[in-house]
Amino acid sequence: MRAVIHPGAAAGGVRVPSSKSIAHRALLAAALAEGETVLEGLDRSEDLRATANAARSFGAAIRWLPGGQIRLRGCGFPSAPTRVIDCGESGSTLRFLIPLLAMTGKPVSFAGRGRLPERSQQVYEALFAERGLPFVRGDGKLTLCGPLQSGEFRLSGAVSSQFITGLLLALPLAEGNSVLRIEPPFESRPYVELTRTVLAAFGVHSDWLDPLTLSVPGGQRYLPAGRFAVEGDFSQAAFFAALGALSGEILCENLPSASPQGDWVIFDFLERMGVPVSFSPAGILVRRAPLRAGVFDLGDCPDLGPILMVLCCFAEGESVLLRTGRLRLKESDRIAAMQTELAKLGLPIDCRGQEIHITGNGGRRCRVPDRALFGWNDHRVVMSLAVAATRAEGPVAIEGAQAICKSYPHFFDDLTRVGIRVDLT
């Protein structure tokens, strides 16, 4: 799909999609509970569909209902799927399921598309090797066999919190107690806290022994949650918050006043850049203002990287983004992607190891590129470039714009709703 974004002022309200991070976790917890749970407020993204299909394959009964709801009847303990599990392009689906399905003690195979088969599983590979368990990658598939048993697990905190979440999902079902020892630096800690919060709603608990050590009691069972409402996604809100800061006035609706999501920090970043941000029961209102440069740490919020690069490109002065290395390990190499595409708009960024230095243009409009921008098969790259394009001197085309379907299928509809013209072909 090709999207042509026309520059213009934005104004209006946007109902922010439900949190994909919470939805993945809640769906799997409900799928493991012995009883019925209704998840509310969901958006039917490709990633969430992959997790739902996987949950069906290990024994959960799942029915999509109108109005963004799913009714689940959990299985209590997963059964080994009889077919290869297609994770699509969802890293969360794959990494959450690996330890969970290793609990079955039978061979399980996973497949994926896009960059997913290439993404690192080194943390799990090491854990399985230490325990003498098969973990084989090849021909686009990953095949493993358990049983994964309770015990002590050492794992890096600098690669991805998804590995920690996978173990937190699985180990409560083991017979014995487990301990997770996280080797510093521990990045994306808010995502681990998010996992613990969601699992607690389904009766499963873990405890911090110290800032780097988690105790996970075994012999637990997931309990149905009745009705579980999934709150709005701060990582998706970031695109429209940035749009308001750059091109108008946007009310981000469907966001809670307090949240365990680490990406809520986007509003703190905006205030530090001089953007007026107002909180009310109706939502969070962001108004256009001249942007100030700043120093921003992405260690706990790497998904904000692409849109923060865009904001910094239009600020006055030099901004520095810290702890950015994991941006290279996402659906695309997001540093290379944004550096390449923003350069076409005349917005250079300078990568220096784990840091990104950006000298902004002081809020001036950017140029229209002589060729289309490319989305790199990455939803966050496409949406970030679309926001940048609203500040161009003329229409800007983005090829591969269908990547938004991974997490935010109606993104362009919402962009149109707040006054930005978008032509799709």
Side-chain angles (χ1 to χ4, degrees), residues 80-162:
T82 57
R83 57 178 176 79
V84 175
I85 298 174
D86 181 3
C87 297
E89 297 184 36
S90 175
S92 296
T93 304
L94 177 59
R95 288 171 174 168
F96 292 175
L97 288 174
I98 284 173
L100 185 60
L101 295 184
M103 302 292 290
T104 67
K106 296 181 180 179
V108 180
S109 294
F110 300 89
R113 297 188 298 278
R115 206 176 181 218
L116 183 60
E118 305 167 15
R119 294 178 69 176
S120 173
Q121 307 301 333
Q122 182 179 1
V123 172
Y124 285 152
E125 287 181 89
L127 293 180
F128 276 68
E130 289 169 4
R131 289 157 177 78
L133 300 175
F135 193 99
V136 180
R137 302 179 72 175
D139 299 324
K141 290 195 303 184
L142 186 159
T143 300
L144 57 87
C145 186
L148 184 66
Q149 298 178 332
S150 58
E152 181 172 305
F153 296 78
R154 292 184 176 272
L155 60 166
S156 171
V159 181
S160 172
S161 64
Q162 291 174 346

Side-chain angles (χ1 to χ4, degrees), residues 137-376:
R137 302 179 72 175
D139 299 324
K141 290 195 303 184
L142 186 159
T143 300
L144 57 87
C145 186
L148 184 66
Q149 298 178 332
S150 58
E152 181 172 305
F153 296 78
R154 292 184 176 272
L155 60 166
S156 171
V159 181
S160 172
S161 64
Q162 291 174 346
F163 298 110
I164 302 171
T165 288
L167 290 169
L168 287 174
L169 281 161
L171 293 175
L173 299 174
E175 291 183 4
N177 300 333
S178 298
V179 173
L180 304 185
R181 301 194 184 278
I182 302 165
E183 298 172 354
F186 184 9
E187 299 182 347
S188 291
R189 183 186 291 267
Y191 284 94
V192 175
E193 292 303 320
L194 184 66
T195 300
R196 296 180 65 242
T197 298
V198 173
L199 297 193
F202 291 85
V204 169
H205 301 274
S206 57
D207 298 290
W208 289 105
L209 300 180
D210 62 48
L212 295 172
T213 309
L214 269 169
S215 170
V216 186
Q220 300 188 66
R221 290 294 177 262
Y222 286 85
L223 304 175
R227 305 188 79 85
F228 184 98
V230 179
E231 67 189 39
D233 193 326
F234 281 84
S235 62
Q236 305 289 38
F239 300 106
F240 282 95
L243 180 66
L246 291 171
S247 301
E249 181 174 298
I250 297 293
L251 179 68
C252 297
E253 304 166 353
N254 192 39
L255 294 176
S257 57
S259 174
Q261 297 179 59
D263 287 346
W264 68 265
V265 77
I266 183 60
F267 293 102
D268 177 54
F269 288 168
L270 286 169
E271 287 185 315
R272 287 164 53 190
M273 297 182 83
V275 176
V277 178
S278 304
F279 298 82
S280 74
I284 304 177
L285 182 67
V286 180
R287 295 185 179 91
R288 182 181 175 186
L291 301 181
R292 297 192 299 262
V295 178
F296 307 98
D297 189 336
L298 296 182
D300 287 337
C301 53
D303 284 344
L304 296 181
I307 192 61
L308 193 56
M309 292 181 212
V310 169
L311 285 166
C312 293
C313 282
F314 292 98
E316 183 71 46
E318 181 180 347
S319 296
V320 181
L321 309 186
L322 305 175
R323 293 200 290 171
T324 64
R326 283 184 300 139
L327 272 68
R328 295 196 182 277
L329 307 175
K330 299 292 185 175
E331 285 84 344
S332 70
D333 178 339
R334 286 177 175 164
I335 294 177
M338 295 303 293
Q339 185 174 36
T340 300
E341 304 310 315
L342 289 174
K344 296 177 185 177
L345 295 167
L347 302 171
I349 66 175
D350 180 14
C351 306
R352 306 177 191 176
Q354 293 281 319
E355 297 182 1
I356 297 174
H357 293 246
I358 302 172
T359 300
N361 69 3
R364 297 188 304 277
R365 291 194 174 274
C366 60
R367 73 187 183 204
V368 176
D370 56 8
R371 60 192 186 283
L373 305 182
F374 178 55
W376 291 63

Side-chain angles (χ1 to χ4, degrees), residues 1-10 240 243 382-383 385-390 394-402 404 408-425:
M1 181 169 70
R2 177 185 176 97
V4 177
I5 311 298
H6 294 256
F240 282 95
L243 180 66
V382 172
M383 292 186 281
L385 294 176
V387 172
T390 67
V396 175
I398 305 172
E399 297 285 2
Q402 70 276 3
I404 61 165
Y408 197 162
H410 54 282
F411 171 76
F412 290 123
D413 294 334
D414 284 349
L415 203 58
T416 300
R417 191 170 293 115
V418 295
I420 301 300
R421 179 182 166 189
V422 181
D423 299 327
L424 301 176
T425 54

